[in-house]
Amino acid sequence: MAYTNFTVETDADGIALVTWDMPGKSMNVFTAEILEELNAIIDATVADAAVKGVVFTSGKSSFSGGADLSMIKSMFSFYQEEKAKNPAAAAKKLFDLVGRMTGLFRKLETCGKPWVSAINGTCMGGAFELSLACHGRVASSAKSVKIALPEVKVGIFPGAGGTQRIARLTDAQSALQMMTTGQSLTAARAKAMNLVHQVVEPDQLIPAAKQMIKDGLKPVAPWDEKGFKAPGGGIWTPAAAQLWPAAPAILRRETSGNYPAALAILKCVYEGLQVPFDTGLKIEQRYFTHVLQTTEAYSMIRSLFISMQELGKGARRPAGQPKTGLKKVGIVGAGFMGASIAYVTAAAGIPVTLIDRDIEAATKGKGVGEGLVKDSIGKGRLTQDEGTALLSRITPSSDYADLKDADLVIEAVFEDREVKKAVIEAVEAVLPAGAVFASNTSTLPISGLAKNSKRPADFIGVHFFSPVEKMMLTEVILGKETGDHALAVALDYVAAIKKTPIVVNDTRGFFVNRCVFRYIHEAYDMLIEGVPATMIENAAKMAGMPVGPLALNDEVAIDLSYKILKATVADLGEKAVDPRHMQLVTGLVEREGRLGRKNSKGFYEYPPKPAKKSLWPGLKDLYPQKKADDVDVSVLKQRFLVTIALEASRTIEEGIVTDPREADVGSILGFGFAPYTGGALSYIDGMGVKVFVQLCEKLAAAYGPHFQPTTLLKDMAAKGETFYGRFDPYRVEKAA
Ligand code: NAD
């Protein structure tokens, strides 16, 4: 029989080699069609007496990325539609749908013929669950092999038998750790955890897999053998008595109870290990059905999976612009940011000219890249040759004439209008026609800077976040006159360096910093009210923020906050800032000399390593302190999330951000906005705009007018709208 996505070739030994190779796709993913074909392959190989066993592999460089977006998306939309008609029937149908993959993999596992999965590259999620259902697993030793069950990162969990099989192959603690963090394993680590049987050289993969069958691999999973015991002996052992009472507490410490999927993993393993395997699968199916109905799963999948991919693939790229082949990128300013931008650009294979005021400064900037390369080689992420090649792509210079053949120049010089003006003029004097000038400014509006340009249509903002090599987001800022060509070049560049872009219109602070400073200012308010600093930091983390607002302010520097407040007063007048904030920050910077992490003195003290940072005790003396019992932590948590979400909604109302996907993805990647919410706008949509407006009004009455809901929000509440409904990102596609 012919298949669209698979080839099946049976050799003289009766071993069928099933190769998964979806036409027109760069990566194999599970779709409804794949499940159907796989089902047919199982039936056909069982029925064919000539087939003794099956080796399952991929025809692509990776094995498979797991489930397809559209399959998950359709599960949600199916459920939402059905729920409106009959909630109980919808849940039952969802339960059956969820069980499809589980049932298929169980059928494979019990088909009576041995199956071996030959893992040749990245093997994620459902693809590894399929491999786990095979009786043998051989992985290639290639560096590209990464094995993971990463579902928890998008709000779900391994729901096709993964929780049950992993917990029966490796000890419960390792199983929990792997699944609740979604961490990637190398082939060697997977073998050490007993999750694969063999690791072999890439060219030995198929022969080794076939050999397992020739050696008489039994077509029976360990848990289907009589007398099977889980590694470590299951739940009722002394070792388990150490693990299980602590596990929920550890999970709570790590997640503050914000991630239903992570908790479900714990329950699946704990409950599943006490029952026969098939009952365990049912338990998993029930929890999976439950988790799929949570707002967290819905919003996380939308933002962290679907939107992130769509933005990464150029959802905001203007139509009709040819793809940019970046032959050379110029970077002017080889300081803190410029040096790292040069590194990530060279790491993407693009030659860079790195310019500073003199060759020494430019060469020092390249030195940052050298340090990063050394680190990567040390961690095994780069080979020596790759590192040498990367560095050879960075050419330090002090001569602007070297930019004459650049396609894009990014300026990262001092945050000073005059300095930037001089640089814009010097660069434009040599820049070829059609090349684009981008500024990495964090505070100066792009339209203002573009006034210094003779070609404002090719002038744009490309705003990086520090540390550049780690932060996945880049804000692309459109000045009033920025044209489509500049936007296309900027987006192609961001895609080339493998970051996710959001495109925003020009405003003070753009999107991310506007939101970040709301977060920090709420913490200032709390300090001024006398809330103990420890509670402020802990409440923020319990709300799901990765870094407390005071720690974050130390990272961005308190004197930067001070400068921004002063600049805001200069530009917009005294009323534009809260005088109590000004007083707090002025006191810290001018009186106490506390600038943040950079001088080891901020809201925290930074003693020499290995000692850990701790909150500065002097904070207690700044304002009369409230007793901890008099502070409601749940309100602190709400205040942080609401003030940020409100600011995000203002950027939509003002037309700064035009697509809710960008506000959501930008808030998570830019400053870690509680990922379980799906981002700042999904947080509002998730609870419903009406409920959000009521919450804002309550907080405004108690904590100040900055919580007042906006006209847009009130209008949306009255009409029962959502951000994804009113500002539907797919409206153009739907209209077409
Ligand atoms: P920095 O002081 O570390 O580096 C600035 C570099 O520009 C220095 O090496 C300096 O010698 C060089 N320079 C100054 N004038 C120049 C000229 N005329 N020609 C060539 N080089 C010149 O500053 P930074 O922190 O890297 O910030 C640079 C820009 O990036 C600023 O606009 C800043 O707002 C923006 N930014 C900074 C951060 C951050 O976290 N530091 C984040 C995003 C954006």
Side-chain angles (χ1 to χ4, degrees):
M1 183 180 162
Y3 305 97
T4 309
N5 303 287
F6 297 91
T7 55
V8 183
E9 293 164 90
T10 307
D11 67 12
D13 296 318
I15 299 176
L17 178 65
V18 176
T19 307
W20 186 7
D21 195 353
M22 295 171 83
K25 289 227 178 218
S26 59
M27 170 128 19
N28 292 322
V29 285
F30 282 103
T31 60
E33 187 187 45
I34 293 295
L35 297 184
E36 268 164 38
E37 290 198 349
L38 194 55
N39 189 30
I41 290 172
I42 298 170
D43 288 341
T45 49
V46 168
D48 187 346
V51 173
K52 304 277 175 281
V54 177
V55 169
F56 186 92
T57 194
S58 153
K60 310 221 184 270
S61 59
S62 58
F63 187 84
S64 158
D68 181 30
L69 295 181
S70 50
M71 194 161 98
I72 293 180
K73 224 175 168 178
S74 68
M75 264 195 206
F76 277 121
S77 37
F78 154 83
Y79 174 66
Q80 293 302 337
E81 280 164 28
E82 294 283 312
K83 196 171 90 172
K85 291 181 239 154
N86 182 344
K92 172 76 179 82
K93 275 194 192 166
L94 188 65
F95 179 75
D96 293 340
L97 209 59
V98 161
R100 261 195 86 188
M101 237 157 119
T102 313
L104 182 63
F105 293 174
R106 186 66 176 141
K107 174 172 167 176
L108 184 162
E109 189 170 58
T110 54
C111 74
K113 290 189 178 174
W115 279 59
V116 178
S117 173
I119 302 169
N120 60 314
T122 297
C123 179
M124 297 280 167
F128 190 51
E129 293 187 283
L130 174 125
S131 301
L132 291 168
C134 291
H135 309 95
R137 285 168 293 284
V138 185
S140 146
S141 59
K143 219 167 74 178
S144 59
V145 172
K146 287 197 193 90
I147 294 172
L149 294 176
E151 290 87 343
V152 76
K153 291 184 180 170
V154 292
I156 52 176
F157 68 90
T163 63
Q164 300 307 301
R165 292 190 176 93
I166 294 276
R168 284 168 173 79
L169 286 169
T170 196
D171 66 281
Q173 186 170 357
S174 307
L176 290 182
Q177 200 166 8
M178 175 183 182
M179 291 186 282
T180 56
T181 61
Q183 69 187 149
S184 278
L185 308 174
T186 59
R189 177 76 190 120
K191 172 140 193 313
M193 285 171 68
N194 200 31
L195 300 181
V196 303
H197 297 96
Q198 287 181 42
V199 179
V200 298
E201 291 293 318
D203 61 350
Q204 288 306 305
L205 187 65
I206 302 301
K210 287 187 169 180
Q211 193 60 45
M212 275 186 98
I213 295 173
K214 286 190 233 166
D215 289 346
L217 178 69
K218 250 176 120 178
V220 181
W223 35 91
D224 290 328
E225 300 269 19
K226 232 181 152 167
F228 168 77
K229 279 210 165 40
I235 299 298
W236 309 111
T237 64
Q242 301 272 329
L243 170 70
W244 286 103
I250 294 170
L251 187 74
R252 195 157 184 91
R253 185 188 68 200
E254 299 300 322
T255 64
S256 300
N258 288 325
Y259 294 85
L263 184 61
I265 291 169
L266 230 69
K267 293 180 179 176
C268 286
V269 173
Y270 183 73
E271 294 172 26
L273 282 179
Q274 303 179 52
V275 294
F277 183 74
D278 283 306
T279 314
L281 289 181
K282 275 276 176 291
I283 289 174
E284 182 191 82
Q285 193 179 345
R286 291 178 80 161
Y287 280 121
F288 197 76
T289 310
H290 167 73
V291 164
L292 266 190
Q293 295 171 57
T294 61
T295 309
E296 289 86 347
Y298 179 75
S299 305
M300 282 178 82
I301 289 189
R302 180 169 63 189
S303 293
L304 291 166
F305 201 26
I306 299 172
S307 302
M308 205 135 97
Q309 290 216 9
E310 288 170 351
L311 297 179
K313 284 187 181 152
R316 293 294 311 279
R317 198 178 182 284
Q321 289 290 329
K323 180 123 183 57
T324 326
L326 289 161
K327 291 184 293 299
K328 188 193 218 180
V329 169
I331 292 161
V332 184
F336 179 66
M337 294 300 283
S340 305
I341 299 170
Y343 168 80
V344 297
T345 309
I350 305 169
V352 177
T353 296
L354 178 60
I355 292 199
D356 209 295
R357 288 177 292 187
D358 49 52
I359 187 72
E360 288 75 23
T363 307
K364 194 169 158 221
K366 180 171 176 175
V368 172
E370 286 161 0
L372 290 167
V373 163
K374 207 169 145 203
D375 269 8
S376 294
I377 293 174
K379 289 181 183 144
R381 293 196 189 124
L382 279 183
T383 63
Q384 191 71 46
D385 287 351
E386 286 164 343
T388 309
L390 189 161
L391 289 171
S392 74
R393 287 191 282 271
I394 305 179
T395 311
S397 165
S398 59
D399 185 357
Y400 282 86
D402 290 344
L403 300 177
K404 65 179 186 305
D405 51 353
D407 306 295
L408 168 71
V409 170
I410 301 168
E411 110 10 62
V413 297
F414 298 142
E415 190 73 337
D416 179 299
R417 281 197 178 89
E418 286 310 310
V419 176
K420 295 217 191 266
K421 177 173 187 283
V423 167
I424 293 164
E425 287 167 0
V427 171
E428 287 193 352
V430 295
L431 208 56
V436 170
F437 186 100
S439 173
N440 179 46
T441 177
S442 4
T443 56
L444 304 171
I446 293 301
S447 306
L449 287 178
K451 289 203 176 108
N452 303 305
S453 168
K454 289 204 177 70
R455 26 200 276 175
D458 284 337
F459 195 102
I460 198 163
V462 174
H463 184 218
F464 286 87
F465 298 91
S466 154
V468 177
E469 63 284 1
K470 294 215 178 102
M471 295 292 287
M472 294 313 300
L473 185 75
T474 308
E475 268 178 308
V476 173
I477 298 117
L478 300 174
K480 277 200 189 76
E481 295 182 60
T482 304
D484 279 356
H485 168 65
L487 176 58
V489 171
L491 290 178
D492 290 345
Y493 168 70
V494 174
I497 59 169
K498 297 197 175 67
K499 304 221 181 271
T500 304
I502 59 168
V503 180
V504 303
N505 288 314
D506 208 7
T507 179
R508 184 178 291 272
F510 312 131
F511 171 73
V512 169
N513 284 345
R514 271 180 68 159
C515 294
V516 165
F517 281 104
R518 285 286 173 184
Y519 178 47
I520 290 174
H521 288 176
E522 201 55 35
Y524 291 175
D525 280 358
M526 292 175 186
L527 273 178
I528 293 162
E529 289 161 25
V531 178
T534 330
M535 288 189 84
I536 297 175
E537 295 290 86
N538 285 342
K541 286 195 210 135
M542 287 161 74
M545 302 299 290
V547 183
L550 303 177
L552 184 65
N553 202 174
D554 276 359
E555 295 299 327
V556 298
I558 306 177
D559 61 325
L560 180 69
S561 296
Y562 181 44
K563 275 188 209 153
I564 293 174
L565 284 177
K566 281 207 297 193
T568 311
V569 170
D571 293 351
L572 305 175
E574 294 278 349
K575 286 212 175 107
V577 307
D578 184 330
R580 301 166 314 151
H581 293 180
M582 190 61 129
Q583 199 189 11
L584 167 66
V585 172
T586 310
L588 286 170
V589 172
E590 288 189 354
R591 203 176 50 240
E592 307 286 349
R594 305 197 75 88
L595 309 184
R597 153 89 76 183
K598 65 182 181 186
N599 75 338
S600 303
K601 280 167 72 177
F603 288 104
Y604 284 78
E605 302 270 44
Y606 297 87
K609 283 186 176 166
K612 284 193 175 158
K613 69 178 182 188
S614 57
L615 279 158
W616 175 47
L619 286 174
K620 291 196 185 80
D621 305 323
L622 294 181
Y623 303 96
Q625 295 289 284
K626 281 192 173 159
K627 285 206 200 83
D629 284 350
D630 294 339
V631 181
D632 185 342
V633 174
S634 63
V635 175
L636 299 185
K637 283 162 58 181
Q638 276 175 344
R639 287 171 64 179
F640 283 129
L641 299 188
V642 170
T643 193
I644 297 171
L646 252 172
E647 190 65 15
S649 78
R650 287 187 197 104
T651 64
I652 289 264
E653 188 162 7
E654 293 164 22
I656 302 301
V657 175
T658 51
D659 184 329
R661 290 176 297 183
E662 297 186 294
D664 274 342
V665 171
S667 65
I668 296 178
L669 295 188
F671 53 96
F673 184 86
Y676 64 90
T677 62
L681 293 183
S682 283
Y683 170 67
I684 303 177
D685 275 1
M687 75 173 80
V689 178
K690 201 168 159 195
V691 175
F692 183 73
V693 164
Q694 285 161 357
L695 183 55
C696 289
E697 281 164 348
K698 202 176 88 189
L699 292 174
Y703 302 102
H706 62 290
F707 278 114
Q708 239 6 295
T710 61
T711 313
L712 171 70
L713 284 167
K714 285 195 231 164
D715 186 52
M716 287 173 65
K719 292 178 178 150
E721 289 177 334
T722 60
F723 279 97
Y724 280 82
R726 180 152 171 164
F727 302 94
D728 183 359
Y730 308 106
R731 57 190 178 273
V732 179
E733 284 162 41
K734 283 180 189 159

